[in-house]
Amino acid sequence: RSVAFRFLDPTEKIGEKDLPPKPGEFKNSVIIQAIDTLKILIYKNFNSGQLAFLNPKGWGFKEEEIYTDSLHNFNWNLLQDTAIINSLVCRKANCTWRGRNYVAWYAPSIPISNGPWKFGGLPGLIVEVYDTDGVSYWKMNRLTYSDVTLPDFPTKFGGDFESFKQKFRQNFLKRKTVIESKNNSDDPSC
């Protein structure tokens, strides 16, 4: 069972997304999301309850690697607020996840417990989600149907989310040191 999200191309407005599959219909057991132009892939396997993400080269990494993470480990508070988003009656939910406060609007009429990026776990498709500091924002701009076959869930991983954070931090601090160094500003490893 799966849903695919097509994220921004350079001509689209920030925050607008496409959600291809038919409401309530799943094609495979994997979700893949290409995030913006960074080509970060998110895989979600609902049958096994796993999530995996491809970390691209750059971002302090020399190689692309796939890391695992928990699938939909959000502790949502379901609220009574309602809103109409793209002709859908939506309900509001909020949670704190990994140090940020998030607000999500979901459509109970589309019984898919999923959303953009790593989000999901609500009783309907998440059509808008953002953090209260304005750092992250996703909003569906239309719902379309697709028969695209999604690739299989990965089987080889570079580690879990904690190992990803540790490696990212090490690479970031190394680059920060090089950038701040007056003597090594020509360091080719930067």
Side-chain angles (χ1 to χ4, degrees):
R1 296 180 173 228
S2 69
V3 173
F5 291 85
R6 186 185 65 78
F7 281 75
L8 298 175
D9 69 38
T11 64
E12 292 179 296
K13 288 175 59 180
I14 291 175
E16 295 183 343
K17 311 288 179 252
D18 274 338
L19 306 174
K22 294 178 184 178
E25 182 175 303
F26 296 104
K27 301 285 184 198
N28 300 313
S29 63
V30 179
I31 287 184
I32 299 164
Q33 302 173 326
I35 296 180
D36 301 338
T37 56
L38 299 174
K39 306 299 182 230
I40 299 171
L41 296 178
I42 304 284
Y43 299 84
K44 295 179 182 180
N45 188 325
F46 294 103
N47 295 332
S48 68
Q50 289 183 296
L51 179 144
F53 61 96
L54 174 68
N55 187 67
K57 284 193 223 180
W59 289 31
F61 292 84
K62 293 181 181 179
E63 302 292 327
E64 289 185 342
E65 288 186 297
I66 296 176
Y67 291 88
T68 60
D69 199 356
S70 52
L71 178 63
H72 301 170
N73 64 336
F74 303 93
N75 186 19
W76 293 106
N77 299 307
L78 304 181
L79 305 173
Q80 296 300 314
D81 305 52
T82 60
I84 304 294
I85 300 173
N86 294 322
S87 302
L88 296 168
V89 176
C90 297
R91 302 289 306 260
K92 187 176 185 181
N94 63 20
C95 74
T96 299
W97 185 65
R98 294 188 175 157
R100 281 204 180 126
N101 297 315
Y102 289 95
V103 172
W105 291 92
Y106 65 97
S109 63
I110 303 176
I112 299 172
S113 183
N114 194 30
W117 192 48
K118 297 181 179 184
F119 292 101
L122 286 168
L125 183 67
I126 297 173
V127 298
E128 183 175 11
V129 63
Y130 52 89
D131 73 276
T132 57
D133 292 327
V135 175
S136 300
Y137 178 77
W138 294 269
K139 183 178 181 184
M140 179 181 86
N141 70 339
R142 67 185 173 269
L143 183 64
T144 57
Y145 306 105
S146 174
D147 290 326
V148 173
T149 302
L150 302 174
D152 293 329
F153 194 81
T155 56
K156 294 183 180 181
F157 304 104
D160 61 10
F161 183 70
E162 290 304 316
S163 62
F164 165 78
K165 283 194 328 186
Q166 182 179 12
K167 190 171 186 179
F168 185 87
R169 180 176 168 72
Q170 289 170 347
N171 289 337
F172 173 80
L173 291 175
K174 178 181 175 187
R175 293 194 183 316
K176 181 178 180 270
T177 300
V178 170
I179 289 168
E180 291 174 346
S181 170
K182 293 180 182 175
N183 296 330
N184 296 322
S185 60
D186 297 330
D187 186 337
S189 67
C190 179

